[in-house]
Amino acid sequence: MKFGIHYIDFLPGQPKDLAPTLAATVRAAEECGIDMFTLADHFFQMEAVGSATDPFLEGYTSMGYLAALTERITLAMMVTGVTYRYPGVLAKTVTTLDVLSGGRSIFGIGAAWYDREHHALGVPYPPIGDRFEMLEETLQICLQMWSENDGAYQGKHYQLAETICQPQPVRRPPILIGGSGEKKTLRLVAQYADVWNGTSSLDELPHKLDVLRRHCDAVGRDFSDIRLTAGNFDDPFADVDEYLRAVDRYAAVGIDTINTGPRPGNPDPAGWVRRFGDEVLPRLAT
């Protein structure tokens, strides 16, 4: 089992403290062997986590900073909101991260949901059906830009006269789609994704995986080609034995990476990561 650290709380405090805390956390993750470090693609803090007025750094600028601080760990947004950037600009942004990190990026993307920050910052917030159409067109545009085809793209929502992307990524960034919607999200996973990040409970995962298998069959995709990841933010230190039993259950259904991290409000996220590396990872290894 691999682990990712999802960093979602930049902690109320002085701006000068945000960069050192983020840097210490990603370095701790890399040093203890964490596979992936992810950020949420938002401009306001999520209200389920804290206050919209809490500090929150823009994701791709932060990812460039993290790329310069690290050598091994994979970097990804969990997940990019499709509404925030034009697809061609987004493909260029992700490509830049991939090149500067030496091929360590994953392209996480979803249909976006945080209506408050859209309305506050003047970002259009179309109906959910349109956002899913935009998501599929964005996936098509990115794949075209990461290919030898630099011609035009004509879609319902986006029209590009050219799809030049130079330099190309060091490697074509794996596409990660997050979410568990059975009709639209999992169909897009089957058709386009290299990685799925499940957001359902452990008990619901077997059913969601069955739905994903059926979508793969419908589009002629080999289900085993999709890397399966899931989020679990239970406190691993409350009962390490129970936590390890849950990890076994994830592994039993095919999950190979669990995304975890310190709970919001933790004043020492780097210390949390180091403790995870000291107390949990060695137990998994045995």
Side-chain angles (χ1 to χ4, degrees):
M1 180 66 70
K2 299 176 182 178
F3 285 89
I5 295 297
H6 189 45
Y7 192 99
I8 58 172
D9 188 1
F10 291 93
L11 309 175
Q14 295 300 315
K16 66 180 177 61
D17 297 328
L18 302 185
T21 303
L22 179 59
T25 307
V26 76
R27 285 172 173 147
E30 185 162 78
E31 288 167 5
C32 72
I34 295 296
D35 184 68
M36 181 165 57
F37 195 90
T38 61
L39 300 173
D41 189 30
H42 291 294
F43 305 103
F44 296 171
Q45 177 59 276
M46 295 166 284
E47 292 164 319
V49 174
S51 168
T53 58
D54 288 346
F56 208 89
L57 297 179
E58 192 279 322
Y60 279 102
T61 309
S62 300
M63 279 294 169
Y65 175 68
L66 297 178
L69 295 173
T70 55
E71 297 179 354
R72 180 199 58 81
I73 201 164
T74 298
L75 303 170
M77 302 303 296
M78 191 73 80
V79 291
T80 306
V82 72
T83 51
Y84 296 131
R85 301 164 189 86
Y86 286 112
V89 174
L90 177 58
K92 187 67 176 183
T93 301
V94 176
T95 299
T96 300
L97 174 62
D98 190 77
V99 169
L100 295 181
S101 67
R104 291 186 286 125
S105 71
I106 288 180
F107 177 42
I109 188 164
W113 60 270
Y114 196 176
D115 54 343
R116 178 175 177 175
E117 63 185 359
H118 284 79
H119 298 318
L121 299 179
V123 178
Y125 189 62
I128 185 64
D130 288 348
R131 299 202 307 275
F132 270 102
E133 291 174 352
M134 293 162 65
L135 174 57
E136 184 160 17
E137 289 189 16
T138 296
L139 289 165
Q140 293 169 354
I141 290 166
C142 288
L143 287 170
Q144 182 168 322
M145 290 185 69
W146 296 330
S147 75
E148 295 180 356
N149 179 2
D150 60 5
Y153 176 89
Q154 293 294 320
K156 175 181 176 181
H157 298 276
Y158 303 112
Q159 298 81 42
L160 284 70
E162 298 178 274
T163 50
I164 296 171
C165 186
Q166 293 297 335
Q168 285 282 290
V170 174
R171 59 161 188 171
R172 199 270 285 166
I175 293 169
L176 180 152
I177 296 177
S180 298
E182 296 183 10
K183 292 183 179 179
K184 294 182 178 179
T185 301
L186 293 181
R187 195 270 298 173
L188 291 174
V189 172
Q191 189 161 352
Y192 296 100
D194 304 290
V195 187
W196 174 59
N197 187 65
T199 55
S200 299
S201 69
L202 184 49
D203 290 335
E204 294 174 322
L205 271 176
H207 168 69
K208 298 295 183 180
L209 290 169
D210 285 342
V211 174
L212 180 55
R213 286 187 186 92
R214 292 198 292 272
H215 280 299
C216 285
D217 290 342
V219 299
R221 179 82 183 276
D222 187 342
F223 172 79
S224 66
D225 287 344
I226 301 173
R227 179 182 175 188
L228 306 176
T229 72
N232 182 313
F233 292 90
D234 295 339
D235 183 0
F237 311 120
D239 186 335
V240 175
D241 289 332
E242 179 61 28
Y243 186 79
L244 294 177
R245 284 191 285 271
V247 170
D248 284 341
R249 290 181 61 197
Y250 279 106
V253 298
I255 301 297
D256 85 346
T257 302
I258 294 175
N259 298 301
T260 185
R263 292 183 175 182
N266 188 314
D268 184 15
W272 188 98
V273 171
R274 287 191 293 268
R275 185 182 178 191
F276 189 83
D278 290 341
E279 298 182 16
V280 178
L281 294 182
R283 293 280 303 276
L284 284 167
T286 59

